[in-house]
Every structure is written in C-alpha cells, then in structure tokens.
C-alpha cells in the first residue's frame, strides 16, 4: 500500500494524525483496496512516514470510528467490510463543537496499552480490588437502606446527603481543615469536583494555571470546558514559586489548580513553609486556588501538613476530596469544600448539572464511615501500601541504570521516575506491553504532550513480587532500547 503524505507539507492547520488519516483514506480509494485488505502495522507506517507511533495509532483510531478500517487483536488492521463507500455515501456527518473536537484529539493521543498476557499493571492509579472492604460496605449499604427508607430513593438536595456531610466535616476538621457540614457540597468523585471548581472561576477562553507535569484528566477537563492552560514548572520541593508568582500576575489567569499532597504524577508532598508562601502569592494576586486532596487519607509515612484550605483565612481555596482512591472508585462520591458565595455558586452549578447525587450510596458511605469501618479499612490498607512502596523503591535501585532518579512518596500510590538522556518514554511503551509490563509515559502529564524521559509507576495494583518483576522487565526493555535490540525475546508467555 502506497500512502502519499510528506512530513512538513502544508496542511491547512489540520493535526498530523488527521492529515495521515486523510492520506490513508485517499490511498484506499485511489488504489481500489477492497474489504479485508491488510494495512501496514502502526510500527511500519510510523517508520515509513517518519512520525511517532502514537500519531499513527490515533489516525487509525479515527478511521476505525468512521467505519473505514477495522482491527483484529493479534491479526492486524484491515479495510473494513463496508469499505470506504459506506463511509463517504449519504451518511450523516456531525459537526461538533470546536472544544469537543479538541477533546477528542486529546483523548486519541492518550497511550494505547493494547493487550498483554499476564501484564503487570504499573500504570493504573486504581486501588487493588482485592483490598476492597466489599462485605463490610454491603452491610453498611443494607443498614442505610433500612434506616433511610423510601426517602433515600427520591431526588436529594444538590449539596448531598446531610449525614455524610456532617461526618466528613468532622473528619476534615480533625485533619486541620476546619469546615462545617454547610461548607461541603458532595459530588461524583474528584473528577466532577474539578469540573465544577473550574467552572466557578473560568469562562470559555479563560486561562487556568496548572502544575507541570499535572494530572492528565485536568487537562481534558479544561479542554472540555473550552479553557486554555498555562504550565507552572514543578521542582523537587513543589511548584516553582517564582514562576507561579509571575504566572498568577497575568490578568488572563483566573485560577490555579494544585496537588500539594501526594502529587499526581510525582507523588511528592510540599512543606508547610512552601504552602504558606503559595497562599501569600495567591492572595497577593487575588487568584483563587483549587486544591485537589484526592489521596489525603492515604498517608503511611512522615508527618501531615495542613491542607492549603486549612491555612487559608480568606476563603479563596476550594478543596476537593474523594473516596475513589482510599476506598474504591465505583462509589463515585467526593466532596468540595467552599465558603460563602463560592458555596452558593457551587450549589447552583450542581443543580444545573445533575439535579442531585445518588442518595443511597452517600447514605451507605455515611454509615460505613460513621461505624468505624472506613478507619479500619485504612488501618489495613496503609501498611500494605508502605510495603509495596518500599518494594518498588528497592526494585528501582536494584534494576534501573545509573543516573536514573525517582521520588519517594509518603503516601498515595505513585512514584515518578526520571530516566534521563534524550529519551521519550513513549518509545518504550509498545515493547514494554510486549514484555508484560505497563507504565504511564511522562508525555501524557505535560500540557503540550512533549517528549519526556519520565514515567509514572504505581504500586496500587501489584504486590511486592510483581512489582519487582515489573521493574525488572522495564529495565530489560530500556536496556534493549538503548542497545537497539529486542527486549521481548524473554517476555512472559
């Protein structure tokens, strides 16, 4: 199959993946390629056209969504049965909002892990299901239904279940974040909390400042809302405060999103002095702060520092909490703490977004936390996480080459690894999948998706033995990449 596309040609502003998708579509039509014709592999076409494999994967995914091509795991990519004719006939072609088009391009650029037998998951920031207190939660859920009766099955108020808000307020106050139940608005996990908090301060076209690197889904949320983002670089001790001051002084910047505790992807935690200086800068520039405390209950080492919101007398910090990492993500329950006018605005946004939350789940969580089961769960979980972190750090020291660096988190699930040199860790991903280990390449945590020699490794899903095996496989892939060889010859079967 011959594809007529040259890197660097005039494209009318289209992203490269769309240019390549168009070239493939034209090649199928002009060369008369029929149903079932095998297309080049992602690796081969990337080499032929001189682009990254992720770009080809995104182009192929775009064509597959149009029904032009189809893929079969283990077999390859082919011209679809319906072929190009059905996709170019009189079918409806939707015209999407520009923000949605940008979001779809962003989603297509996410790493594709494929399928690897017995793969060791060092990429997922999802709690290990084997550690879920499912039986205890089921009992709490049943008790909540009995106690709440039919009223739990009605629409609730936009702020959420009063019992859970009271319980969370007491816990947050004990954790140096003094709030009342009236200061809390419940939401569908921290993800909805992020979107609501961004909408509090930013209109389409506005700029939100984000740490660099940062949580990948915040970038997606900003895109979906039509916002622009500006990066503030991270240092070993936290966000660069000088750069933050200069950034927040810009009039177009309307908010700053930060993770001072167990940063994602870095795993780092900032000092009390750093937090106070950050708040001074935010108050001087009059820019509100969105503090994501999504893993605040997962500390297993060191001393906790007060959340930014607990140090802020002005009420300019909106704090996000979630049960998704400390308990399980399926509950989809989080909380936003805000005061005064900000709380009123949140309630209006929440009401307009989804009317109310799932009261039975919130009531069950109130019962689960209130009866002590949540603390008992955390008491079992934290030592496991510490053991897994230690095993991962030991494996990194044992197997990674000299010059590699990594963080040592005091809680949460993630470690950031810097391999150094002129390396893009995305280039390791396909071979790592083939070798049976998954990781999150650093580029996905950068605003512009640029090359990164970093990677995020998590100890959420793998036990100590598999953590060591996973790092050993990664080290083998890295060594083969640097030697130009094949790391998958001894991959698990």
């Amino acid at each position: 199959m011959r594809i007529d596309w040259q890197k660097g040609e005039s494209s009318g502003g289209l992203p490269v993946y769309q240019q390549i998708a168009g070239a493939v579509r034209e090649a199928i039509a002009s060369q008369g390629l029929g149903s079932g014709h095998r297309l080049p592999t992602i690796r081969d076409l990337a080499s032929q056209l001189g682009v990254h494999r992720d770009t080809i994967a995104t182009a192929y995914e775009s064509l597959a969504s149009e029904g032009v091509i189809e893929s079969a795991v283990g077999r390859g990519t082919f011209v679809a049965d319906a072929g190009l004719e059905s996709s170019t006939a009189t079918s409806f072609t939707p015209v999407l909002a520009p923000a949605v088009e940008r979001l779809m391009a962003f989603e297509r650029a996410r790493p594709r892990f494929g399928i690897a037998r017995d793969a060791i998951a060092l990429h997922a920031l999802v709690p290990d299901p084997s550690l879920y207190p499912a039986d205890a939660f089921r009992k709490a859920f049943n008790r909540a239904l009995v106690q709440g009766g039919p009223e739990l099955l009605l629409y609730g108020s936009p702020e959420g279940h009063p019992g859970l808000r009271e319980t969370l307020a007491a816990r947050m106050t004990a954790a140096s974040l003094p709030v009342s139940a009236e200061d809390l608005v419940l939401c569908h996990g921290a993800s909805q909390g992020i979107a609501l908090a961004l909408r509090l301060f930013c209109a389409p076209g506005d700029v939100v400042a984000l740490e660099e690197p940062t949580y990948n889904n915040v970038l997606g949320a900003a895109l979906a809302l039509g916002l622009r983002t500006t990066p503030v670089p991270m240092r070993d001790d936290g966000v660069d405060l000088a750069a933050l001051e200069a950034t927040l002084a810009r009039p177009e910047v309307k908010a700053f999103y930060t993770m001072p505790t167990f940063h994602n992807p870095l795993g780092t935690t900032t000092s009390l002095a750093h937090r106070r200086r950050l708040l001074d800068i935010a108050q001087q520039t009059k820019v509100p702060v969105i503090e994501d405390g999504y893993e605040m209950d997962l500390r297993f080492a060191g001393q906790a520092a007060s959340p930014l919101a607990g140090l802020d007398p002005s009420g300019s910090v909106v704090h996000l909490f979630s049960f998704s990492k400390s308990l399980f993500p399926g509950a989809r329950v989080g909380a936003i703490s805000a005061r005064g006018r900000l709380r009123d605005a949140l309630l209006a946004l929440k009401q307009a977004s989804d009317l109310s939350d799932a009261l039975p789940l919130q009531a069950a969580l109130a019962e689960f936390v209130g009866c002590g089961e949540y603390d008992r769960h955390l008491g079992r979980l934290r030592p496991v996480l510490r053991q897994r972190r230690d095993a991962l750090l030991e494996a990194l020291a044992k197997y990674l080459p000299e010059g590699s660096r990594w963080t040592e988190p005091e809680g949460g699930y993630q470690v950031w690894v810097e391999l150094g040199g002129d390396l893009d860790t995305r280039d390791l991903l396909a071979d790592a999948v083939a070798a049976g280990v998954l990781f999150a390449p650093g580029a996905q945590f950068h605003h512009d998706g640029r090359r990164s020699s970093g990677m995020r490794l998590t100890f959420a899903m793998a036990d100590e033995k598999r953590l060591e095996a996973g790092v050993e496989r990664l080290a083998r892939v890295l060594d083969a990449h640097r030697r130009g060889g094949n790391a998958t010859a001894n991959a698990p079967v």
Side-chain angles (χ1 to χ4, degrees), residues 11 16 46 66 69 79 81 90 97 99-100 125 163 171-172 243 253 316 346 352 363 368 392 403 435 469 480:
S11 61
V16 172
E66 298 173 18
I69 66 174
V79 177
D81 288 341
T90 58
V100 176
L125 203 61
R171 293 183 65 85
M172 290 179 176
V253 176
S316 63
L346 274 173
F368 185 79
L392 177 56

Side-chain angles (χ1 to χ4, degrees), residues 12-52:
L14 285 177
V16 172
Y17 84 90
Q18 289 185 5
Q19 299 174 42
I20 293 174
V24 173
R25 191 186 299 106
E26 184 173 336
I28 292 172
S30 64
Q31 297 174 37
L33 304 181
S35 172
H37 184 92
R38 182 187 293 272
L39 301 179
T41 66
I42 290 174
R43 185 191 296 267
D44 288 346
L45 189 53
S47 176
Q48 175 187 332
L49 300 182
V51 299
H52 196 277

Side-chain angles (χ1 to χ4, degrees), residues 444-465:
Q444 77 178 80
F445 304 103
H446 287 282
H447 292 65
D448 54 4
R450 68 177 183 272
R451 294 171 61 86
S452 171
S453 63
M455 63 172 68
R456 188 191 69 186
L457 302 182
T458 68
F459 44 93
M461 297 286 286
D463 62 20
E464 293 89 335
K465 182 177 179 181

Side-chain angles (χ1 to χ4, degrees), residues 218-229:
V218 175
L219 298 171
L223 273 175
L225 295 173
L227 309 181
R228 295 177 290 152
T229 61

Side-chain angles (χ1 to χ4, degrees), residues 44-88:
D44 288 346
L45 189 53
S47 176
Q48 175 187 332
L49 300 182
V51 299
H52 196 277
R53 282 176 287 183
D54 283 352
T55 303
I56 302 300
T58 302
Y60 273 3
E61 182 176 331
S62 175
L63 290 169
S65 68
E66 298 173 18
V68 176
I69 66 174
E70 56 189 7
S71 298
V73 177
R75 294 180 55 233
T77 304
F78 306 88
V79 177
D81 288 341
L84 194 60
E85 295 180 358
S86 64
S87 68
T88 58

Side-chain angles (χ1 to χ4, degrees), residues 160-347:
H161 188 270
L164 182 55
R165 288 188 290 115
E166 291 172 3
T167 299
L168 286 179
R171 293 183 65 85
M172 290 179 176
T173 299
S176 301
L177 176 51
V179 294
S180 68
E182 287 70 32
D183 297 326
L184 295 178
V185 176
L186 302 184
C187 55
H188 300 297
S191 296
Q192 188 190 39
I194 289 168
L196 289 171
L198 289 174
R199 291 172 65 193
L200 274 177
F201 308 112
C202 304
D206 285 342
V207 176
V208 58
L210 305 174
E211 294 159 334
E212 178 84 330
T214 192
Y215 177 36
N216 185 257
N217 281 348
V218 175
L219 298 171
L223 273 175
L225 295 173
L227 309 181
R228 295 177 290 152
T229 61
T230 188
V232 186
M234 290 290 289
R235 307 299 184 202
D236 289 344
D237 62 344
V239 69
D240 185 320
L241 293 175
L244 178 68
E245 187 169 13
T247 300
L248 298 192
R250 292 160 45 191
E252 69 272 21
V253 176
K254 303 302 183 183
F256 172 53
Y257 170 88
T258 181
M259 293 168 283
T261 302
F262 314 143
H263 184 277
N264 182 17
L266 301 182
T268 52
T269 297
T270 61
S271 67
L272 182 61
H274 187 281
R275 295 175 188 221
R276 292 190 185 280
R277 179 60 186 137
L278 187 156
L279 285 174
D280 287 343
I281 292 170
Q283 289 163 11
Q284 290 164 12
T285 56
K286 301 188 184 306
V287 174
V289 175
I290 301 169
E291 178 186 21
D292 195 340
Y294 73 111
E295 286 182 339
M296 63 179 291
D297 281 346
L298 292 181
R299 175 173 292 277
F300 50 71
Q303 295 296 316
S306 295
L308 293 173
L311 299 170
D312 168 43
S314 70
S316 63
V317 178
V318 173
H319 185 274
L320 309 179
F321 170 84
S322 175
F323 284 105
S324 295
K325 308 305 181 188
S326 57
L327 190 54
F328 41 70
R332 305 311 304 140
V333 176
I336 314 170
S337 65
R339 303 179 215 163
R341 182 171 167 80
L342 285 179
R343 176 189 178 275
D344 294 341
L346 274 173
L347 288 179

